[in-house]
Amino acid sequence: DSGVTQTPKHLITATGQRVTLRCSPRSGDLSVYWYQQSLDQGLQFLIQYYNGEERAKGNILERFSAQQFPDLHSELNLSSLELGDSALYFCASSVLGSGELFFGEGSRLTVL
Amino acid sequence: GIQVEQSPPDLILQEGANSTLRCNFSDSVNNLQWFHQNPWGQLINLFYIPSGTKQNGRLSATTVATERYSLLYISSSQTTDSGVYFCAANEKLTFGTGTRLTIIP
């Protein structure tokens, strides 16, 4: 158990819908990262937050947004969902903005 | 950005065999991690190893930062070692495409 908690574990929804994925980092970790793992793109970095502030952006679509709350948990919002958004979404956390990252078990999103 | 390449892409071994997985990266790194993704999709931390050598049981890893590569050694393979092994580099973790390891009983 990495100490990073993600919910929900599985989610099935329809095209055009909006979903929210939630992540609680390890106790004491200030930085949260989001990754997408799809069959054709592999594991890709989406976005990083550090102590509530956006720190870095990767290949995140405009239809996706995220935030980190004062209690340090984070949410990834995916809207106007398309079939191609079906993927495993991981959250990771680290103590500072660098160093070793620890991953949650992922949220598997299926868009039908 | 940095490019991370892993080899071989696939590896099939008999239980008890040893293996070496390689990770090449295109630029200097300040973070290098190895992960095992099990059949259930979980990403399990194996090593945080931006340089040097570490060992954990049957697994060990070496990163030669000056030559831009890292190696993961698995000895006396067990069926539970099956899965995909990823290396990932730098602060926001650029992942390689992985090595799929299958251990046959």
Side-chain angles (χ1 to χ4, degrees), chain B residues 9 19 31 55 67 76 81:
Chain B
S19 58
N31 180 8
Q55 180 153 8
E67 297 188 23
S76 304
D81 295 331

Side-chain angles (χ1 to χ4, degrees), chain B residues 35-97:
Chain B
F35 298 90
H36 175 213
Q37 187 166 37
N38 64 22
W40 295 271
Q42 294 174 306
L43 274 173
I44 299 163
N45 285 43
L46 297 178
F47 294 102
Y48 170 71
I49 188 164
S51 64
T53 297
K54 290 186 178 179
Q55 180 153 8
N56 184 4
R58 297 181 296 103
L59 274 62
S60 64
T62 295
T63 296
V64 184
T66 52
E67 297 188 23
R68 300 181 183 172
Y69 72 89
S70 183
L71 301 173
L72 177 69
Y73 305 96
I74 305 173
S75 65
S76 304
S77 299
Q78 301 174 358
T79 55
T80 51
D81 295 331
S82 295
V84 183
Y85 289 79
F86 290 101
C87 68
N90 277 349
E91 192 176 302
K92 292 172 283 298
L93 290 189
T94 297
F95 280 81
T97 51

Side-chain angles (χ1 to χ4, degrees), chain A residues 32-49:
Chain A
V32 169
Y33 308 71
W34 287 97
Y35 293 82
Q36 179 194 57
Q37 186 177 28
S38 60
L39 283 175
D40 54 344
Q41 297 288 333
L43 264 158
Q44 289 203 306
F45 167 70
L46 295 179
I47 197 164
Q48 178 197 2
Y49 282 82

